[in-house]
Amino acid sequence: MSAVDLEQRNNRMVNPPAPSRSIYVALCGGVGGAKLVSGLARILPAESLVVAVNVGDDFEHLGLTICPDLDTVLYTLAGLVHPQQGWGRSDESWGVMDELRRLGAHTWFALGDRDIALHLLRSELLQGGLTLSAANAELARRLQLDVTVSPISDQPVRTMLDTDQGRLAFQEYFVHRRCEPAVRAVEFAGAKSASLAPAVLAALESKDLAGVIICPSNPYLSIGPMLAIPQLRQRLRALDAPVVAISPIVAGAAIKGPAAKMMCELGVQPAADVIAPLYEDFVDIVVLDTADAALATDARFAVVPTIMHTPEQKVALARDCISLIQALRAQRSR
Amino acid sequence: MSAVDLEQRNNRMVNPPAPSRSIYVALCGGVGGAKLVSGLARILPAESLVVAVNVGDDFEHLGLTICPDLDTVLYTLAGLVHPQQGWGRSDESWGVMDELRRLGAHTWFALGDRDIALHLLRSELLQGGLTLSAANAELARRLQLDVTVSPISDQPVRTMLDTDQGRLAFQEYFVHRRCEPAVRAVEFAGAKSASLAPAVLAALESKDLAGVIICPSNPYLSIGPMLAIPQLRQRLRALDAPVVAISPIVAGAAIKGPAAKMMCELGVQPAADVIAPLYEDFVDIVVLDTADAALATDARFAVVPTIMHTPEQKVALARDCISLIQALRAQRSR
């Protein structure tokens, strides 16, 4: 390792975990999850963080395999993400999209030129026979990331929505129809037969696993597709290491995306503690925002500021997660 | 048909063919061939022209199926081609390419943003199960072309070069290595088992076939891959309609591309009449440029100006081709 690399890694080790157990797995969707992951990447050494990313949003479009959540995590960690949107590339251009519009092609999914370059490279790697996780590792390497970012599975798991406008693929609902259809049920095609990607399975089975962090991502659309893989849920239930989940709902509203609207349509009151029953078979602590302190009715809940607008807020929430896990571990070892 | 469409079609009918026999098939490679095709498209009604295009240069790159000769013909006929290059798009931008370079991807094949839009659309159509000719017909429709432009075959025929630097795929030789390797032999993988695309076969079998024009394209790299399809050569040999070929060599040099260099390497003197023996089993007239009048040693040759810099020159050569065919047909019917 070069001196520069070493320095970068050392800079990251603001809060080094106990050397005997040092792997943290973060289960992550798109924008909200990526924010926490960027905080975790700042305080953990690269070899201590494994980010397992939702693939339920993946789809084929214009001949490309597009993995929106993986892209958001990669772009965020590489410092390339569009700062206001939280997804896509900063400093983007739209030459291809303009021409696709002229050609009468589908243009409801925004594809910037820089973004397309990554999609082309991933599609070429996949067509060359790489698994999705191997292709993604190669993309991460080219973006000069040393954190492990893996799809939750190398098999396709596709989120399908049963709505008042019929059965819709996720992007058809989310982007093309702007979440307007009312959702009646959510289904994850392929999940039952999918298995965990090698890096995720190795981390969850490692004797060095310190804990699992469920990022503040939509429980139905981002975490749900992952938990629908039987191997993951079984593995989480059987873990010795603690599991901490951060609620994506603050004061009755989703920070981003359609979570709260969907909850209403599914007959669930949108409240921060709604994730507790969803994850109850494996979660040790559910983290609520200070705005929702009144919902922390028992010891299963922790309350910290969870809004992440600034880098400092991302690092602070990441530190809280690590601290909670360390405290749970200390308690268990007594 | 709307009044506007009708007017456009009427404008094209400067030199209408005899109504009883009115289909002309043009066998065409890239830049040189596309120039003559654009002349033919100006003087023939759309339904009278079938352009059969070389697919030997096609390749997979960055997950896209790229068909350089088809693209050149489409862009030329649509008035979108880069005027100086003769291939690629005018008014092109390079956002994707710049990012691919940053990602360390292969950038030896220039892919402009507008060009990529077409490749994406074609790749999506192909992945959706369309044949290459059906996908191409859809692209032509979106470019508002009414001339039939078809790949010679829906099966892959790939030009491979045996060179002093080993066996190379066409684009590897032509673009990546800039035609620098010395060519020892040319081979067309897949040609033996390929069949003619439906539109090409229908035109060649039509009772309305007036004649076949072999465009001034490289005989080894553009026309050769097509003639290597046994069905085409058999069909050309059996034709009642005349076949006229325009030499791409003028005064011992190729107007564009590596034809003359390749001839030297293959032990052939680069001369305008070199195509005569290559096509002798089916060609009726070989057209030489006025600069090569001395090579027109017998009645198999016609001599006209073949250089096509201006639209007028393209139309003039197109008219010469139609006239030669009409004269041959008149002679035969006597």
Side-chain angles (χ1 to χ4, degrees):
Chain A
M1 190 184 296
S2 74
V4 173
D5 288 342
L6 195 59
E7 192 191 338
Q8 287 181 339
R9 290 205 175 182
N10 280 330
N11 285 346
R12 255 197 223 94
M13 293 175 72
V14 175
N15 188 3
S20 63
R21 280 206 155 184
S22 61
I23 296 176
Y24 293 85
V25 172
L27 299 184
C28 178
V31 179
K35 286 183 182 176
L36 179 54
V37 162
S38 72
L40 291 165
R42 290 278 291 274
I43 63 167
L44 292 171
E47 60 274 21
S48 285
L49 180 57
V50 174
V51 187
V53 182
N54 173 40
V55 295
D57 303 7
D58 294 5
F59 71 127
E60 274 74 41
H61 187 61
L62 290 167
L64 301 167
T65 297
I66 299 178
C67 307
D69 284 353
L70 279 166
D71 293 344
T72 294
V73 173
L74 290 177
Y75 293 157
T76 300
L77 289 176
L80 300 172
V81 78
H82 188 288
Q84 281 76 50
Q85 287 174 170
W87 53 268
R89 292 285 305 263
S90 58
D91 195 21
E92 187 58 286
S93 63
W94 301 92
V96 177
M97 201 74 177
D98 290 346
E99 183 62 23
L100 284 170
R101 192 170 294 112
R102 266 180 230 117
L103 289 170
H106 293 300
T107 52
W108 54 264
F109 194 84
L111 287 170
D113 297 332
R114 293 181 194 280
D115 201 24
I116 285 172
L118 192 88
H119 301 324
L120 286 171
L121 201 47
R122 180 186 281 125
S123 296
E124 183 177 50
L125 294 167
L126 292 174
Q127 285 181 27
L130 289 195
T131 60
L132 183 60
S133 56
N136 206 67
E138 175 62 20
L139 296 179
R141 193 185 65 75
R142 291 182 186 237
L143 291 169
Q144 272 129 47
L145 299 181
D146 45 11
V147 168
T148 299
V149 177
S150 173
I152 190 70
S153 176
D154 281 331
Q155 288 87 44
V157 175
R158 298 292 164 97
T159 300
M160 303 294 300
L161 300 155
D162 181 19
T163 78
D164 61 351
Q165 295 177 27
R167 186 177 153 92
L168 300 176
F170 177 75
Q171 298 296 346
E172 179 65 25
Y173 160 80
F174 187 67
V175 179
H176 198 182
R177 307 205 190 188
R178 299 156 192 244
C179 307
E180 285 165 6
V183 174
R184 292 172 182 149
V186 185
E187 187 190 321
F188 309 109
K192 285 282 169 289
S193 58
S195 53
L196 293 173
V200 179
L201 183 61
L204 290 176
E205 288 188 338
S206 169
K207 65 172 178 46
D208 296 328
L209 182 69
V212 174
I213 297 155
I214 302 189
C215 292
S217 299
N218 186 314
Y220 304 104
L221 297 179
S222 298
I223 307 299
M226 297 198 265
L227 293 177
I229 299 170
Q231 195 184 14
L232 177 62
R233 194 146 204 149
Q234 285 158 15
R235 192 67 222 146
L236 290 175
R237 283 178 185 157
L239 280 188
D240 289 328
V243 179
V244 170
I246 297 90
S247 180
I249 305 286
V250 173
I255 300 299
K256 186 151 184 91
K261 172 174 177 287
M262 275 186 64
M263 286 182 194
C264 293
E265 291 160 2
L266 294 170
V268 180
Q269 176 79 14
D273 58 350
V274 78
I275 64 168
L278 295 174
Y279 304 157
E280 68 180 346
D281 50 331
F282 58 81
V283 80
D284 294 288
I285 288 188
V286 169
V287 178
L288 306 180
D289 186 72
T290 44
D292 295 304
L295 296 173
T297 49
D298 62 44
R300 290 176 309 157
F301 295 100
V303 177
V304 303
T306 66
I307 306 286
M308 294 177 283
H309 291 316
T310 67
E312 294 70 27
Q313 290 170 327
K314 293 167 194 169
V315 166
L317 184 58
R319 293 182 67 133
D320 291 335
C321 293
I322 303 297
S323 298
L324 287 166
I325 285 170
Q326 291 185 342
L328 284 165
R329 285 167 40 72
Q331 190 177 24
R332 286 178 191 186
S333 66
R334 277 200 301 185
Chain B
M1 192 183 297
S2 74
V4 173
D5 289 342
L6 196 60
E7 192 190 341
Q8 286 179 340
R9 292 206 173 182
N10 281 330
N11 285 346
R12 253 198 226 94
M13 291 176 74
V14 175
N15 189 1
S20 62
R21 281 207 154 186
S22 59
I23 296 176
Y24 293 85
V25 172
L27 299 184
C28 178
V31 179
K35 286 184 184 176
L36 178 55
V37 162
S38 72
L40 291 166
R42 291 279 291 275
I43 63 167
L44 292 173
E47 60 274 21
S48 285
L49 179 58
V50 174
V51 187
V53 182
N54 173 40
V55 295
D57 302 6
D58 294 6
F59 71 127
E60 275 73 41
H61 187 60
L62 291 166
L64 301 166
T65 297
I66 299 177
C67 307
D69 284 353
L70 279 166
D71 293 344
T72 294
V73 172
L74 291 177
Y75 293 156
T76 300
L77 288 176
L80 301 171
V81 78
H82 188 289
Q84 280 75 50
Q85 287 174 169
W87 53 269
R89 291 286 305 263
S90 58
D91 195 20
E92 187 57 284
S93 63
W94 301 92
V96 177
M97 201 74 176
D98 289 346
E99 183 62 22
L100 285 170
R101 192 169 294 110
R102 267 180 229 117
L103 290 170
H106 294 300
T107 52
W108 54 264
F109 194 84
L111 288 170
D113 298 331
R114 293 182 194 280
D115 202 23
I116 285 172
L118 191 88
H119 301 324
L120 286 171
L121 201 47
R122 180 187 280 125
S123 295
E124 183 177 50
L125 294 167
L126 292 174
Q127 286 181 29
L130 290 195
T131 60
L132 182 59
S133 56
N136 205 67
E138 175 62 20
L139 296 179
R141 193 185 65 76
R142 290 180 187 238
L143 291 169
Q144 273 130 47
L145 298 182
D146 45 11
V147 168
T148 300
V149 177
S150 173
I152 189 71
S153 176
D154 282 330
Q155 288 88 43
V157 176
R158 299 293 163 96
T159 301
M160 303 294 300
L161 300 154
D162 181 17
T163 77
D164 61 351
Q165 295 177 28
R167 184 176 154 92
L168 300 175
F170 176 75
Q171 298 296 346
E172 179 66 24
Y173 161 79
F174 187 68
V175 178
H176 199 182
R177 307 204 189 190
R178 298 155 193 245
C179 307
E180 285 165 7
V183 174
R184 291 172 181 149
V186 185
E187 187 190 318
F188 309 109
K192 285 282 170 290
S193 57
S195 53
L196 293 174
V200 178
L201 183 61
L204 289 176
E205 289 188 337
S206 169
K207 63 173 180 44
D208 296 328
L209 182 69
V212 175
I213 297 155
I214 302 189
C215 292
S217 299
N218 186 314
Y220 304 104
L221 297 178
S222 299
I223 306 299
M226 296 197 266
L227 293 177
I229 299 171
Q231 195 183 13
L232 177 62
R233 194 146 204 149
Q234 286 158 16
R235 192 67 222 147
L236 290 176
R237 282 177 185 156
L239 278 188
D240 289 328
V243 180
V244 169
I246 298 89
S247 180
I249 304 287
V250 173
I255 298 300
K256 186 148 183 92
K261 172 175 177 288
M262 276 187 63
M263 285 181 193
C264 292
E265 291 161 3
L266 293 169
V268 180
Q269 175 79 16
D273 58 350
V274 79
I275 64 168
L278 295 174
Y279 303 157
E280 68 179 346
D281 50 331
F282 57 81
V283 80
D284 294 289
I285 288 188
V286 170
V287 177
L288 306 180
D289 186 73
T290 44
D292 295 304
L295 296 174
T297 49
D298 62 45
R300 288 176 310 158
F301 295 100
V303 178
V304 303
T306 66
I307 306 286
M308 295 177 283
H309 292 316
T310 68
E312 293 71 27
Q313 289 170 326
K314 293 167 194 171
V315 166
L317 183 57
R319 291 182 70 132
D320 290 335
C321 292
I322 302 298
S323 296
L324 286 167
I325 285 171
Q326 290 184 342
L328 284 165
R329 285 166 41 72
Q331 190 178 25
R332 286 179 190 183
S333 66
R334 277 201 300 190

